[in-house]
Amino acid sequence: MTVDVLRRPALAERRARVAVAVLFFTNGALFANLLPRYPQIKADLGIGNAAYGLAVAAFPAGAIAAGLAAGALVRRFGSARVAVGGTLVTGAGILAAGLGGSVALFAGALFLAGAADAVTDVGQNAHGLRVQRRYGRSIINSFHAIWSIGAVTGGSMAAAAIALGVSRGPHLLFSAVLFAVAACVALRFCLPGGDNEPAEEDAAEDAAEDHAGRPARHTAPVPGARTSYVLAALVLIATAGTLVEDAGSSWATLYLSDSLHASVALAASGYVALVGAQFVGRLLGDRLVDRFGQRAVARSGALIAAVGMGLALAVPTVPGTILGFAAAGFGVATLVPAAMHEADELPGLKPGSGLTIVSWLMRLGFLLSPPVVGLVADATSLRAGLLVVPLAGVIVLLLAGVLRPRRD
């Protein structure tokens, strides 16, 4: 953190916090409105599994293609405007994907939506970190928890629309307009000014070194080996978090049903347990970080994830595996927000560059994790493939020293 003296936030800062929360909520809800429509889209387009898999991969591909531009856009237009503009384009891309009459149009629209989503992600996190610096305490984890609420809300909206027989066009148009309006209203209450200007309350610390021995974020750019090492470590920490998330979303249900012979309803509990525990971890994360520091929280969480999932794989049972996925979700809850926060504070980089690089590269975890786990599963077993979860915990344990300790 860059502010040591706790104070009551001003009204403008409290409004800005609510505004950022709205942006995270809309970001989570927009894409979640489309996901339950995928089976219907696949059937309407009359495509096989291979073509479908390539088409939906356009979303992360778009995110990777455009992700590095986010930092320059934030410096040029400001994080709040970038987040809102990206939200508008994401909604338009999702609407176009729902209405696309061919595989090419469907994939192209997803590519556009993914590119805009990557820019939105950097913008909203950058502005959330600006607000956090004004607060003088950790609040970034609460924003990511609200993103999870938005995702659940969006999926529920889509499920309700399908149950009521509402076609994709009106449903996704309503979603895009609703969340576009919410984002534009939120923009009015975001912090004014540019993202490369230090807040007045940061001035006392600008000339000092932080407790990890690194120069403060507003010193003159002095890139070097230390900065490069820390940035690489932060990318690996964030990627470890995404690997665990993807293991739950892509493989938990399959592992429980096929390998452990759980019922269809019970097999879904693995992913639900991971997401639910992750949400709880993010709700508690800010208080834990303020009390114990990013480093201790990350190490404790990594240990919980590695031991919990490791025991579940060593002694495979349905209840134990569900608890293992819950432990993994709780353990990695704060990793991505922590890596983003530290990257945004790195010296020797332009404002927004560290955050952009971490956000961009961690998406490779979502892109590469499924085929890697799948290859291991085909060669040995899915149980062996899921060793990626405790392995991710071990990686964080080894690298968490780059995160900040508890501040006095």
Side-chain angles (χ1 to χ4, degrees):
M1 298 300 300
T2 59
V3 178
D4 291 329
V5 180
L6 297 182
R7 59 176 178 78
R8 180 175 176 80
L11 177 61
E13 293 162 349
R14 296 198 300 272
R15 286 177 173 174
R17 181 177 182 177
V18 174
V20 175
V22 170
L23 294 177
F24 271 82
F25 181 89
T26 59
N27 183 247
L30 272 173
F31 190 56
N33 266 277
L34 179 65
L35 286 175
R37 295 286 192 172
Y38 272 1
Q40 186 183 28
I41 293 173
K42 180 176 180 292
D44 290 347
L45 294 177
I47 55 178
N49 290 326
Y52 168 76
L54 289 173
V56 297
F59 188 89
I64 293 172
L68 284 180
L73 291 173
V74 166
R75 290 190 294 272
R76 176 68 177 82
F77 299 105
S79 55
R81 291 179 179 177
V82 167
V84 173
T87 298
L88 300 182
V89 177
T90 301
I94 289 172
L95 174 61
L99 298 176
S102 67
V103 178
L105 290 175
F106 175 57
L110 284 180
F111 186 91
L112 173 65
D117 180 73
V119 172
T120 302
D121 188 44
V122 173
Q124 66 188 11
N125 275 285
H127 205 76
L129 290 169
R130 274 191 73 192
V131 177
Q132 175 171 279
R133 287 190 287 272
R134 296 285 189 92
Y135 265 66
R137 56 185 171 84
S138 179
I139 59 173
I140 190 66
N141 290 288
S142 66
F143 293 138
H144 286 259
I146 290 170
W147 184 95
S148 300
I149 297 175
V152 172
T153 302
S156 300
M157 288 172 60
I162 293 171
L164 294 173
V166 180
S167 60
R168 291 196 303 272
H171 160 222
L172 294 176
L173 177 61
F174 173 78
S175 170
V177 172
L178 174 65
F179 296 120
V181 170
C184 290
V185 172
L187 179 61
R188 295 185 56 195
F189 300 98
C190 289
L191 295 175
D195 289 71
N196 56 348
E197 298 177 358
E200 290 182 4
E201 61 267 29
D202 291 341
E205 195 183 33
D206 285 345
E209 291 191 353
D210 65 21
H211 288 267
R214 289 171 300 189
R217 71 188 298 267
H218 298 303
T219 55
V222 187
R226 168 67 177 172
T227 297
S228 300
Y229 164 74
V230 172
L231 185 60
L234 293 175
V235 168
L236 289 175
I237 289 172
T239 303
T242 63
L243 285 173
V244 174
E245 291 181 33
D246 184 77
S249 61
S250 299
W251 302 106
T253 302
L254 186 64
Y255 176 66
L256 283 163
S257 61
D258 289 0
S259 301
L260 301 183
H261 310 293
S263 65
V264 175
L266 191 58
S269 300
Y271 175 63
V272 173
L274 185 145
V275 174
Q278 186 180 54
F279 172 71
V280 173
R282 285 174 171 172
L283 283 181
L284 300 175
D286 290 318
R287 291 186 178 182
L288 293 174
V289 167
D290 284 335
R291 182 168 184 178
F292 301 107
Q294 297 273 24
R295 185 182 300 172
V297 172
R299 282 175 171 164
S300 300
L303 185 63
I304 291 172
V307 173
M309 197 62 195
L311 288 174
L313 294 173
V315 186
T317 64
V318 172
T321 299
I322 293 174
L323 289 175
F325 277 111
F330 184 84
V332 305
T334 65
L335 293 186
V336 172
M340 288 182 168
H341 172 228
E342 294 295 326
D344 197 49
E345 300 276 321
L346 278 177
L349 298 175
K350 294 180 180 179
S353 295
L355 176 61
T356 298
I357 292 171
V358 169
S359 178
W360 179 63
L361 289 177
M362 77 175 188
R363 291 175 181 268
L364 292 176
F366 288 115
L367 190 63
L368 300 179
S369 176
V372 169
V373 174
L375 287 172
V376 174
D378 286 343
T380 55
S381 66
L382 183 52
R383 180 183 171 191
L386 286 174
L387 286 172
V388 68
V389 176
L391 177 61
V394 172
I395 290 174
V396 175
L397 281 171
L398 295 175
L399 298 176
V402 302
L403 300 175
R404 294 175 188 247
R406 183 176 71 87
R407 301 185 69 83
D408 296 332

